């Protein structure tokens, strides 16, 4: 699958384990798992051990798909899985939830919580901003008093969380809620795991440092962005050198300042890396793909007024990840807006490491990131 370009080999490996592996490895007598839909959006609900006398916590978990809401790879994965399982009706575009069953089960059990895993629709079924609409719709549905009551959830203890592209959607959802007077203060926390937060600068120190790092090399990340917007792949090379946000692109002028990493990142991170700012680039790119500059796609560039209403925030970053600096810069901007932020950085972490917790891809950093994340939720949700 790796060489056919359908998936990275580690993810393909996990897929094989997931298909043939024993479900009993993660299923738990303590947790009830149900597939249903919330206002038309497919979800998988993990209910932790019920204690009638006290309500549960709740977290809505937004998974990445295998690598993004963007990725057409999921299509191939789902078709292959469907054939392996000899299902009569193949439904490509969904099915990413499986990788997160183990994580969601552990969360439900350890946090004594209801975990809702939202199976938003992926590329190529739908494109931006449909993915955001899906997660917002499912979350609003869940937050209705009668639904919370049905699941015995404490309305004051609800969080939203996601990893990678799911972290992008969780951040976008947080911002949408913070701007809506009816929804403000409804989320107690947001927890973002190596989130994708901006598409304006593909030359942050972490992008430069990890340009060819496995799981998520830079060109793959840039292609995911183009996929998400149904854009033209011909722009990828130009975007890699920041030609889409060059100084002659007027639309980007005001936004560039919001991700000026020379001021947002500490020297220990910027090291000797130099900003890549082109005097002239390609003005056609943002004309054809204006979504690149949309704060719903790039939550890092949102207005300060939007940021200041966000709930307490956890951001996990990994050293070996092009997205490291997206997360660190967002933590910095949120802090400046007065939001309480925990930045949890792993020097030996790599993109996606939290789901690599079972043999043969049982990385110790997978277990450590997972434990650290669950511990934070336990203390703050
Ligand atoms: C799971 O659901 C069943 C059937 O509704 C119920 O009897 C059982 O108590 C539930 N278990 C937990 C851990 O909530
Ligand atoms: C970036 O833009 C400049 C100016 O238009 C152009 O000369 C250069 O070839 C572009 N680079 C890429 C990789 O497209
Ligand atoms: C992964 O699992 C194998 C088999 O259980 C074990 O021998 C190995 O030490 C584990 N590796 C890590 C990093 O936990």
């Amino acid at each position: 699958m790796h060489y056919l370009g359908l998936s990275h080999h580690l993810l393909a490996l996990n897929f094989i384990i997931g298909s043939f592996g024993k479900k009993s490895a993660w299923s738990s007598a303590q947790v009830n798992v149900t597939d249903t839909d919330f206002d038309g959006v497919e979800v998988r609900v993990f209910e932790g051990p019920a204690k009638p006398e006290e309500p549960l916590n709740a977290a809505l978990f937004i998974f990445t798909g295998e690598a993004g809401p963007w990725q057409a790879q999921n299509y191939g994965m789902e078709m292959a899985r469907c054939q392996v399982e000899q299902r009569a009706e193949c439904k490509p575009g969904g099915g990413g939830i499986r990788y997160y069953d183990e994580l969601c089960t552990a969360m439900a059990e350890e946090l004594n919580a209801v975990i809702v895993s939202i199976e938003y629709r992926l590329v190529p079924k739908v494109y931006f901003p449909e993915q955001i609409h899906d997660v917002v719709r499912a979350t609003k549905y869940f937050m209705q008093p009668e639904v919370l009551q049905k699941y015995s959830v404490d309305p004051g203890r609800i969080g939203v969380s996601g990893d990678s592209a799911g972290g992008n959607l969780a951040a976008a959802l947080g911002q949408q809620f913070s701007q809506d007077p009816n929804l403000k203060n409804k989320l107690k926390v947001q927890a973002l795991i190596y989130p994708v937060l901006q598409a304006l600068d593909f030359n942050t120190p972490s992008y430069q440092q990890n340009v060819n790092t496995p799981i998520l090399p830079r060109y793959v990340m840039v292609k995911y962005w183009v996929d998400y917007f149904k854009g033209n792949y011909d722009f990828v090379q130009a975007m890699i050198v920041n030609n889409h946000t060059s100084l002659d692109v007027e639309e980007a002028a005001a936004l560039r300042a919001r991700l000026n990493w020379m001021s947002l990142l500490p020297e220990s991170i910027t090291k000797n890396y130099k900003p890549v700012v082109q005097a002239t680039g390609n003005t056609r790119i943002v004309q054809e793909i204006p979504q690149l500059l949309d704060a719903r796609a790039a939550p890092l560039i949102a207005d300060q007024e939007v940021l200041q209403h966000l709930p307490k925030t956890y951001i996990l970053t990994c050293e070996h990840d092009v997205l490291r600096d997206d997360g660190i810069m967002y933590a910095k901007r949120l802090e400046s807006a007065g939001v309480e932020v925990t930045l949890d950085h792993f020097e030996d972490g790599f993109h996606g490491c939290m789901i690599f917790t079972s043999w043969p891809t049982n990385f110790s950093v997978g277990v450590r990131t997972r434990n650290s994340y669950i511990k934070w939720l336990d203390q703050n949700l």
Side-chain angles (χ1 to χ4, degrees), residues 94-305:
I97 273 174
R98 179 173 304 226
Y99 296 98
Y100 295 88
D101 280 355
E102 195 183 329
L103 176 61
C104 291
T105 302
M107 286 166 74
E109 214 173 306
E110 290 172 39
L111 300 170
N112 192 30
V114 173
I115 306 297
V116 178
S117 183
I118 305 174
E119 188 165 9
Y120 55 89
R121 289 164 301 159
L122 301 166
V123 170
K125 211 177 201 173
V126 294
Y127 298 88
F128 170 88
E130 287 307 314
Q131 283 81 359
I132 299 173
H133 294 161
D134 279 3
V135 300
V136 167
R137 204 159 68 235
T139 306
K140 280 186 180 170
Y141 176 91
F142 180 67
M143 285 182 156
Q144 298 174 100
E146 58 277 18
V147 179
L148 294 177
Q149 197 172 13
K150 177 183 166 203
Y151 289 105
S152 313
V153 164
D154 180 345
R157 301 179 70 185
I158 298 172
V160 64
S161 183
D163 69 323
S164 191
N168 171 285
L169 295 174
L173 181 143
Q175 293 188 359
Q176 180 152 338
F177 273 45
S178 82
Q179 291 173 79
D180 184 334
N182 297 321
L183 294 168
K184 218 180 255 185
N185 305 326
K186 292 248 164 114
L187 293 172
K188 189 174 183 201
V189 299
Q190 61 171 347
L192 313 177
I193 303 161
Y194 27 77
V196 184
L197 295 170
Q198 58 89 21
L200 283 76
D201 184 356
F202 296 117
N203 290 277
T204 60
S206 60
Y207 265 109
Q208 294 190 42
Q209 177 182 302
N210 298 293
V211 72
N212 291 316
T213 298
I215 309 270
L216 194 60
R218 175 169 64 181
Y219 77 94
V220 171
M221 188 62 237
V222 177
K223 276 170 82 176
Y224 286 158
W225 276 114
V226 172
D227 280 335
Y228 190 26
F229 303 137
K230 207 174 189 217
N232 185 341
Y233 282 142
D234 292 347
F235 291 145
V236 167
Q237 288 310 318
M239 288 164 66
I240 281 175
V241 299
N242 287 350
N243 263 5
H244 60 309
T245 51
S246 54
L247 296 177
D248 58 338
V249 177
E250 283 162 29
E251 298 92 327
L255 301 173
R256 266 192 304 266
R258 297 187 182 172
L259 65 164
N260 174 8
W261 50 261
M262 290 298 277
S263 68
L264 288 170
L265 297 176
E267 262 175 45
S268 57
I269 293 279
T270 56
K271 296 190 179 124
N272 293 322
Y273 291 107
K274 299 274 176 293
V276 174
V277 182
Q278 307 288 358
T280 57
N282 184 344
T283 53
R284 260 183 54 223
I285 302 176
V286 297
Q287 278 159 14
E288 277 191 33
I289 319 180
Q291 304 95 312
L292 283 164
L293 306 180
D294 190 323
R296 291 173 303 164
L300 179 58
I301 59 172
D303 291 338
Q304 171 101 354
E305 294 90 84

